[in-house]
Amino acid sequence: MGSNQPKSRRGKSFTPEQDMAICYAYLNITQDLTIDNSQSSGHFWDRIYQHYIRSTSDDARSQGSIKSRWGIIMKCCNKFLGFLTQVQNAHQSGMTDTNVVLQAKLMYMKIEKKPFTFDHCWGILESSIKWQQLPNTSSRTNTPTTMTNFIDQSATQRVSCVGMAVERA
């Protein structure tokens, strides 16, 4: 009594190097000023896929797989940016850039119930125009928890992350 539909199988997990190649391919194609924005979605993703293949020699992945992975990377990085913006907008005295990023990662973990695992992609994407933050703007995320609530809940906790401890009084 089997089904006539073929089973969908997951491929091998993407490596950080493949994730980075996807990010570079996406940025390269989207920042190419010689091509106007009237190209079809299919042509756009074909160009990204071809750039990815040239940079990795990985032709085992389909264009749909690359597009899907980009969607995951973008979603996670957008969420991380929202948390990072909330921490930055709190203007906490004495917060170093490292502590701001650490607090954003802790918010991500607390709210998303999983760690932010795209540091390797964020390092590439954070300097692109899409993820640039405008100065003195307040950004909201679709999360029920505000930065103030997060700080209040974690103000007396000692947090350890990657061998670095931060204590808030």
Side-chain angles (χ1 to χ4, degrees):
M1 299 262 166
S3 171
N4 290 339
Q5 295 180 347
K7 283 189 175 182
S8 171
R9 288 186 19 179
R10 282 180 54 117
K12 288 179 13 181
S13 295
F14 280 85
T15 66
E17 292 78 17
Q18 290 170 322
D19 286 344
M20 292 166 58
I22 293 169
C23 293
Y24 284 125
Y26 183 87
L27 291 178
N28 184 287
I29 300 307
T30 58
Q31 295 173 356
D32 183 356
L33 299 177
T34 62
I35 304 293
D36 65 17
N37 61 0
S38 64
Q39 65 184 324
S40 70
S41 174
H43 184 253
F44 172 74
W45 281 104
D46 186 51
R47 292 181 64 221
I48 291 173
Y49 182 67
Q50 293 306 319
H51 189 280
Y52 172 82
I53 296 297
R54 280 193 306 274
S55 66
T56 63
S57 300
D58 174 19
D59 59 0
R61 304 271 184 192
S62 69
Q63 181 175 323
S65 176
I66 301 302
K67 184 177 179 180
S68 176
R69 184 62 173 181
W70 170 251
I72 292 167
I73 293 168
M74 187 176 68
K75 180 180 176 183
C76 292
C77 286
N78 279 337
K79 285 182 180 183
F80 177 71
L81 176 59
F83 296 133
L84 186 64
T85 301
Q86 285 185 35
V87 175
Q88 289 170 333
N89 287 344
H91 301 294
Q92 294 176 279
S93 177
M95 285 282 269
T96 65
D97 288 344
T98 301
N99 287 344
V100 168
V101 171
L102 178 60
Q103 286 294 318
K105 286 182 178 182
L106 291 170
M107 283 182 72
Y108 189 102
M109 174 73 107
K110 182 176 179 90
I111 294 168
E112 297 300 315
K113 309 288 189 232
K114 61 184 177 182
F116 177 66
T117 58
F118 290 103
D119 289 300
H120 55 287
C121 294
W122 179 248
I124 296 165
L125 299 172
E126 69 178 321
S127 62
S128 75
I129 293 171
K130 178 175 173 51
W131 280 274
Q132 289 293 308
Q133 299 178 37
L134 299 175
N136 299 321
T137 60
S138 179
S139 176
R140 294 180 158 205
T141 62
N142 293 330
T143 59
T145 305
T146 64
M147 181 63 194
T148 305
N149 291 342
F150 179 78
I151 292 170
D152 290 344
Q153 292 169 0
S154 64
T156 58
Q157 296 176 352
R158 180 178 176 85
V159 180
S160 175
C161 182
V162 191
M164 177 188 299
V166 175
E167 189 165 346
R168 306 234 5 176

